[in-house]
């Protein structure tokens, strides 16, 4: 979910937040492009997992990335999940 949907959505929109509708559009595009037959509930679970781990936060209908990830967004760096998780949990 992070590498194929959320992070590309952040980079495409060039802002550190997105709406649930934008997420669904990007997710549906990914499912269509990769001809995925499984239910999208697993992908939705991935979004919830990102929130539970602190990589994403939800506030008033907007999902935003952790502030430590913003410099990567500004530089348009392809950020793998493992690196994003380490940045989120770094002290």
């Amino acid at each position: 979910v992070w590498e194929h949907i959320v992070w590309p959505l952040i980079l495409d929109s060039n802002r550190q937040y997105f709406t649930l509708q934008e997420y669904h559009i990007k997710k549906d595009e990914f499912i269509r492009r990769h001809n995925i037959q499984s239910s999208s509930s697993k992908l939705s679970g991935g979004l919830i997992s990102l929130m539970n781990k602190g990589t994403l936060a939800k506030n008033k209908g907007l999902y935003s990335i952790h502030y430590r990830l913003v410099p990567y967004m500004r530089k348009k760096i392809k950020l793998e999940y493992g690196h994003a998780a380490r940045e989120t949990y770094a002290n």
Side-chain angles (χ1 to χ4, degrees):
V1 170
W2 173 260
E3 291 178 22
H4 298 290
I5 300 171
V6 173
W7 191 244
L9 175 58
I10 293 292
L11 293 180
D12 290 347
S13 65
N14 198 32
R15 55 179 202 248
Q16 63 193 51
Y17 62 89
F18 57 90
T19 66
L20 187 57
Q21 181 181 5
E22 290 170 324
Y23 170 79
H24 284 297
I25 291 168
K26 192 72 165 179
K27 176 186 60 123
D28 293 344
E29 175 187 306
F30 175 77
I31 289 171
R32 213 173 22 258
R33 189 173 352 127
H34 295 283
N35 199 25
I36 295 175
Q37 300 298 324
S38 67
S39 70
S40 63
S41 64
K42 289 182 181 179
L43 296 175
S44 297
L47 185 65
I48 292 168
S49 176
L50 289 170
M51 289 189 302
N52 289 339
K53 293 177 181 177
T55 308
L56 287 179
K58 182 179 177 185
N59 187 15
K60 297 181 182 177
L62 295 177
Y63 295 82
S64 60
I65 59 173
H66 192 277
Y67 74 93
R68 289 178 155 255
L69 304 177
V70 173
Y72 296 95
M73 177 203 72
R74 289 186 180 141
K75 293 179 182 178
K76 301 279 188 189
I77 293 174
K78 181 180 177 185
L79 188 61
E80 295 177 353
Y81 173 70
H83 193 90
R86 282 191 299 276
E87 281 295 318
T88 301
Y89 298 120
N91 290 328

